[in-house]
Amino acid sequence: MKHWSSFSMDHIRLFQKDTNEAASDDEDLTSATWVKELMVNSSETALIQRVDEKFEKLDVMEQGGITYMKIALDEMFYVTQDVVTALQDWLKTTAQDGLTKIPGENVA
């Protein structure tokens, strides 16, 4: 199993479309609906609005719990390259100098 972030949105859209078109029984569709409802009921209004804005632009056959969850996770854990670089620099500096070099930190 891969980490959720390694799947592209195109891949997820195709998977949702396949689920919607070829589900052999109602269980797959029920599970996808349940996932979407869980995400909506567990999220803040601002997140729901951001996710819904992107979700509603999808083709109807690409809409479902799978795509909703991917969009929600991408929104919740979006990190810019600037943030990644800053965190890497901070970790490198802290590893080299230790916490004692950070003003106000008491590690005693």
Side-chain angles (χ1 to χ4, degrees):
M1 178 58 112
K2 294 181 179 181
H3 189 271
W4 64 267
S5 65
S6 65
F7 291 100
S8 71
M9 190 59 196
D10 288 340
H11 181 93
I12 297 298
R13 286 178 22 228
L14 288 172
F15 188 75
Q16 182 68 67
K17 185 176 180 179
D18 182 57
T19 300
N20 289 344
E21 291 177 342
S24 60
D25 54 37
D26 287 341
E27 287 183 25
D28 289 331
L29 296 175
T30 300
S31 294
T33 301
W34 182 83
V35 167
K36 182 178 184 277
E37 289 175 6
L38 175 68
M39 292 302 299
V40 170
N41 293 334
S42 303
S43 300
E44 293 287 328
T45 304
L47 176 62
I48 294 168
Q49 290 171 344
R50 289 197 325 260
V51 173
D52 284 348
E53 184 178 300
K54 293 180 179 182
F55 183 78
E56 291 168 4
K57 291 179 183 177
L58 296 174
D59 181 85
V60 173
M61 290 306 291
E62 296 174 341
Q63 293 182 4
I66 301 164
T67 50
Y68 198 90
M69 178 168 265
K70 170 66 172 161
I71 295 168
L73 290 170
D74 285 348
E75 285 291 315
M76 287 188 283
F77 298 106
Y78 177 73
V79 179
T80 65
Q81 187 56 45
D82 290 341
V83 171
V84 171
T85 301
L87 286 170
Q88 288 172 335
D89 290 345
W90 184 84
L91 289 170
K92 182 190 250 183
T93 300
T94 303
Q96 291 172 351
D97 300 336
L99 290 174
T100 57
K101 299 287 184 181
I102 300 173
E105 288 299 320
N106 181 1
V107 294

